[in-house]
Amino acid sequence: MNDLWFGVSTAIWLGLVTAVSPCPLATNVAAVTCIGRQVALPRRVFWSGLAYGLGRVAAYTLLGALIATALATPLALSNTLQDVMAKLIGPLLTLVGMIVLKLLPLPATPGVPLARWGERLGGGNPGGAGLLGFLCALAFCPVSAALFFGSLVPLAVEHQRPLVYPALYGIATAFPVVALGIGLALGANWAGRFLHRLPQIERIGRTVTGTIFILAGLYLTAKYVFAIL
């Protein structure tokens, strides 16, 4: 039960950190802006925001489940490979933590052409907004890729939850967008205030997550690679 709660909470936390990371944050804000142009039609704003979030959930769930299932083969679960993974997980977590904290500079990836996509998909109907969310979720930047492929997927494989953990991760990444969509539909002032505070939330979440990853990675490296602890 403790392992289950740890996995669930970790998947949700990774999703929230991803949602407020710079690249996904910019994508989400741009998408909400496109969807919010229908402010005269509150119901359409609500359903478009929800559809955008579901599109992101579907993308992460499908991709994560495919990768985690492919890795969770009988060979991958053998004792030999488990020993190898035990030695790799520490350096991997340390590397992910360095990327999250931006201590390891990586080349920037091409941005998502949201201006064009938003006009064609996000500004129309909920179906288009859902497709926009699906496509935007697959436009990984270094930080989101490190969190997804370097942390979420290994977590899903280790706990043998190839569907549940990616789905929870996707729901967490979509939560801010859905919440903002509901706020815009209701005309709530907190939606605007939340948008202004997102950069500060992102810095705090990224700092906490990166630090934990580095400390955990160093501990696991010392224990399983160097057998110090």
Side-chain angles (χ1 to χ4, degrees):
M1 182 61 69
N2 289 336
D3 287 343
L4 176 62
W5 282 112
F6 172 78
V8 168
S9 59
T10 301
I12 293 174
W13 176 253
L14 291 173
L16 291 174
V17 173
T18 300
V20 297
S21 295
C23 292
L25 175 62
T27 301
N28 288 340
V29 171
V32 170
T33 301
C34 293
I35 293 171
R37 291 177 182 176
Q38 310 169 69
V39 67
L41 302 171
R43 289 186 179 179
R44 178 170 291 185
V45 173
F46 170 78
W47 289 113
S48 294
L50 183 61
Y52 176 85
L54 290 176
R56 296 190 69 94
V57 173
Y60 287 127
T61 301
L62 179 62
L63 181 61
L66 288 175
I67 297 175
T69 301
L71 293 176
T73 60
L75 176 62
L77 295 177
S78 66
N79 292 332
T80 301
L81 195 53
Q82 284 189 34
D83 292 338
V84 174
M85 287 300 297
K87 294 180 179 179
L88 288 178
I89 192 64
L92 179 61
L93 284 178
T94 304
L95 180 63
V96 171
M98 293 176 66
I99 294 174
V100 171
L101 291 179
K102 298 182 179 180
L103 299 176
L104 182 64
L106 293 176
T109 55
V112 180
L114 251 227
R116 183 170 67 252
W117 289 7
E119 291 294 335
R120 296 181 180 180
L121 301 176
N125 53 56
L131 180 58
L132 179 63
F134 187 93
L135 295 175
C136 288
L138 299 179
F140 289 98
C141 67
V143 173
S144 61
L147 291 172
F148 183 81
F149 295 106
S151 299
L152 189 279
V153 171
L155 179 73
V157 173
E158 180 183 359
H159 290 253
Q160 301 182 41
R161 305 281 180 176
L163 185 63
V164 176
Y165 288 172
L168 290 174
Y169 175 89
I171 292 172
T173 65
F175 176 76
V177 178
V178 175
L180 289 174
I182 294 175
L184 290 173
L186 297 177
N189 293 328
W190 61 262
R193 293 195 299 269
F194 184 72
L195 279 174
H196 287 296
R197 292 184 179 180
L198 273 179
Q200 181 181 3
I201 297 174
E202 183 272 333
R203 285 193 298 271
I204 295 174
R206 179 166 48 82
T207 300
V208 172
T209 302
T211 302
I212 292 175
F213 277 15
I214 290 178
L215 292 177
L218 293 175
Y219 170 79
L220 293 174
T221 300
K223 181 176 181 179
Y224 291 106
V225 177
F226 299 104
I228 297 175
L229 301 177

